[in-house]
Amino acid sequence: MNLFADGLAWIFDPAHYGGQDGLDTRSLQHIGISLLVLAISSVIAIPLGYAIGHTGRGRAAVIAISGGVRALPTLGLLVVIGLIVGIGLTAPVIALVVLAVPSILAGAYSGFESVDRRTIDAARAVGMTEWQILFKVEVPLGLPLLIGGLRSASLQVIATATLADYVGAGGLGHFIFLGLKTNDYSQMLAGSVFVVLLALLSELIFGLLQRLVVPAGVTAGKSSHVRRRPVRSQAASG
Amino acid sequence: MNWIVNNTDQIGQLLVAHLGLAFLPVILSFVISIPIGWLANRFRLSRGVILTICGLLYAIPSLPLLIVLPIFTGQGIRTSTNLIVGLTIYGIALMVRSTADGLASVDPDIKQSATAMGYSGTSQFWRVELPLAGPVLLAGIRVVSVSTVSLTTVGAVLGIQSLGLLFTDGLQRGIQAEVWTGIVLTIVVALVFDLVIVQIGRLLMPWTRVTKASRRVRKTIATEEVTA
């Protein structure tokens, strides 16, 4: 456990705070990059996901994309974009957006998908317009799953933003790569611990948010709560 | 293209190394997840606790995990064992949920019938519940396999031999063809793994070829694929 103690000592050394290479500065940079990416991806993915969920067109494409992106090696994507657009912030932001969009898209789409068709028919029957159905029924009911999508996107972005420093974009990965180069395990460990804490923090915040956004009076927020089969099988009920 | 022709030997070596690294975690996580998934499905309390732990494990970013792991395992950062252990942890974190969901998707009526026919607890699990959970397990292990193959490349940052080395080397030397080769090959390996797993699934579960599989199971698989 000596390695761990050394790492903790590194984290609590006041000399490693403040200035351009402080743990605090790098953490803020890391959070900044992640939030920027989440914002850009949301602007792209949420309207698209809603359009797919509302019309029911292009579902197969969403499933194929969200599955396909998983096979894409993030490091490779980062490097190739880095080589194309050059070292700096642009490459990781593009790469991270590519990674974040499918999760958010899947969240937005499956949020709409989880809404019981009977609820929508009922909304239409009481005279709601399509826009009212969209914003007063589908959006609120689909919100928990959308937040779920944002949650996994955020996790992936925070994780991959660690690699961003590999193409010179800064963030907490800086300590890991510097530590690897100089064989300074304490420094690597300090950077790693901070990234892990950020990831867990993001999980916590989005997890709470996911619970908070369930509209009052609705318990069926998660897809697992959607009724999967009739109470009795068809044959028995006649 | 020239680069590929001139470096086929090296590419071949890295490809083999990559296969070796990615193969074991997929198998290990499948096997280890069965007892844990069973436990998660068995009791209400254990389900919450286990699935939360798995969620948290999966939340740990890969590179930091590989750096923190040696504290617990005593293995060097740059060893294959370190990478294999790390990838197995991710695999388990994903697979336990699928196993628990799969077991939960087995119709309670079927379990009652099995009990009525005289199956004991253990043989009911192995001969009724696990096979019926099969399609969900299959969906889960496909996700694990794809993400394992792609995550293996991260080890290259630490200097572990895999297709990821084409990324780190390609960046240093500024050869785009090298990086593209790595990306394409990684995806191809993921696809091949996927095909093999699907074939194994077909052989082990001949009944799923008749597409009258219970709707309930199919729906679980569909949500699994979107939300995993």
Side-chain angles (χ1 to χ4, degrees):
Chain A
M1 277 306 182
N2 231 344
L3 293 171
F4 198 64
D6 289 348
L8 278 184
W10 206 96
I11 290 175
F12 287 110
D13 186 346
H16 299 135
Y17 290 87
Q20 203 205 331
D21 273 343
L23 272 167
D24 48 347
T25 320
R26 292 290 179 185
S27 301
L28 286 177
Q29 220 169 35
H30 203 104
I31 297 172
I33 297 175
S34 308
L35 287 179
L36 176 69
V37 169
L38 279 183
I40 298 175
S41 323
S42 300
V43 169
I44 301 172
I46 296 178
L48 198 59
Y50 278 173
I52 294 168
H54 185 74
T55 59
R57 274 183 222 142
R59 289 148 68 179
V62 175
I63 294 173
I65 291 172
S66 58
V69 158
R70 220 177 273 127
L72 197 65
T74 52
L75 183 64
L77 184 69
L78 206 60
V79 167
V80 95
I81 296 179
L83 283 178
I84 294 171
V85 305
I87 298 296
L89 194 62
T90 325
V93 167
I94 297 175
L96 291 172
V97 166
V98 171
L99 293 173
V101 161
S103 300
I104 303 176
L105 197 63
Y109 146 79
S110 61
F112 274 25
E113 184 88 329
S114 74
V115 180
D116 196 326
R117 296 319 296 178
R118 283 171 295 187
T119 311
I120 293 169
D121 288 344
R124 203 164 276 140
V126 298
M128 282 191 176
T129 63
E130 286 302 305
W131 286 108
Q132 282 174 325
I133 293 175
L134 189 70
F135 286 109
K136 292 189 169 169
V137 179
E138 290 178 309
V139 170
L141 288 176
L143 214 47
L145 277 172
L146 173 67
I147 303 284
L150 281 168
R151 178 181 179 172
S152 47
S154 162
L155 198 59
Q156 175 136 38
V157 167
I158 290 174
T160 315
T162 316
L163 298 172
D165 189 58
Y166 198 67
V167 288
L172 285 165
H174 175 76
F175 300 105
I176 297 179
F177 290 108
L178 198 63
L180 277 170
K181 267 185 208 151
T182 55
N183 254 327
D184 180 356
Y185 188 74
S186 305
Q187 187 172 356
M188 282 184 241
L189 197 62
S192 304
V193 168
F194 266 62
V195 179
V196 172
L197 287 180
L198 265 191
L200 295 182
L201 189 69
S202 144
E203 277 292 275
L204 187 75
I205 293 173
F206 279 107
L208 282 178
L209 209 58
Q210 219 171 348
R211 286 192 191 178
L212 283 177
V213 297
V214 178
V218 177
T219 48
K222 294 180 187 161
S223 60
S224 60
H225 290 163
V226 176
R227 187 157 32 160
R228 290 226 167 95
R229 60 167 197 174
V231 181
R232 273 299 3 152
S233 57
Q234 296 296 337
S237 60
Chain B
M1 270 301 146
N2 262 336
W3 183 88
I4 300 175
V5 177
N6 293 332
N7 294 277
T8 37
D9 281 355
Q10 196 209 349
I11 297 173
Q13 271 172 19
L14 293 177
L15 184 64
V16 172
H18 197 100
L19 293 175
L21 282 172
F23 174 74
L24 211 55
V26 178
I27 306 281
L28 283 177
S29 48
F30 184 80
V31 174
I32 298 173
S33 296
I34 289 177
I36 307 179
W38 173 83
L39 190 67
N41 183 46
R42 185 68 188 78
F43 308 102
R44 188 178 282 265
L45 179 72
S46 59
R47 182 178 171 90
V49 172
I50 291 175
L51 292 187
T52 307
I53 294 176
C54 287
L56 290 179
L57 279 180
Y58 191 66
I60 299 176
S62 52
L63 185 57
L65 178 75
L66 293 176
I67 288 169
V68 175
L69 261 186
I71 293 181
F72 303 103
T73 60
Q75 301 286 333
I77 292 188
R78 293 165 210 270
T79 57
S80 311
T81 324
N82 188 32
L83 185 61
I84 290 175
V85 172
L87 293 174
T88 307
I89 290 178
Y90 280 122
I92 293 174
L94 279 174
M95 196 57 205
V96 164
R97 175 172 279 278
S98 299
T99 311
D101 286 352
L103 291 173
S105 76
V106 178
D107 195 324
D109 294 351
I110 291 178
K111 283 193 264 187
Q112 278 193 358
S113 316
T115 310
M117 285 176 69
Y119 277 105
S120 73
T122 339
S123 65
Q124 185 178 323
F125 176 77
W126 290 110
R127 298 168 73 173
V128 179
E129 292 176 46
L130 197 61
L132 286 178
V136 183
L137 294 186
L138 183 73
I141 201 66
R142 287 176 70 185
V143 173
V144 170
S145 146
V146 169
S147 64
T148 302
V149 170
S150 124
L151 270 178
T152 306
T153 57
V154 172
V157 170
L158 306 171
I160 301 168
Q161 295 267 320
S162 74
L163 288 171
L165 231 58
L166 297 176
F167 305 151
T168 53
D169 193 58
L171 178 70
Q172 271 157 17
R173 302 201 292 167
I175 306 174
Q176 256 192 52
E178 184 172 2
V179 184
W180 280 116
T181 311
I183 294 179
V184 171
L185 281 181
T186 310
I187 294 174
V188 169
V189 170
L191 283 178
V192 171
F193 270 42
D194 197 53
L195 282 179
V196 171
I197 292 173
V198 170
Q199 274 310 316
I200 295 175
R202 290 183 124 211
L203 285 177
L204 291 179
M205 299 180 289
W207 66 90
T208 53
R209 262 175 280 172
V210 185
T211 49
K212 281 182 183 170
S214 130
R215 282 189 67 141
R216 194 178 149 90
V217 173
R218 276 218 217 147
K219 220 163 180 181
T220 315
I221 296 172
T223 47
E224 200 92 340
E225 274 168 356
V226 173
T227 55

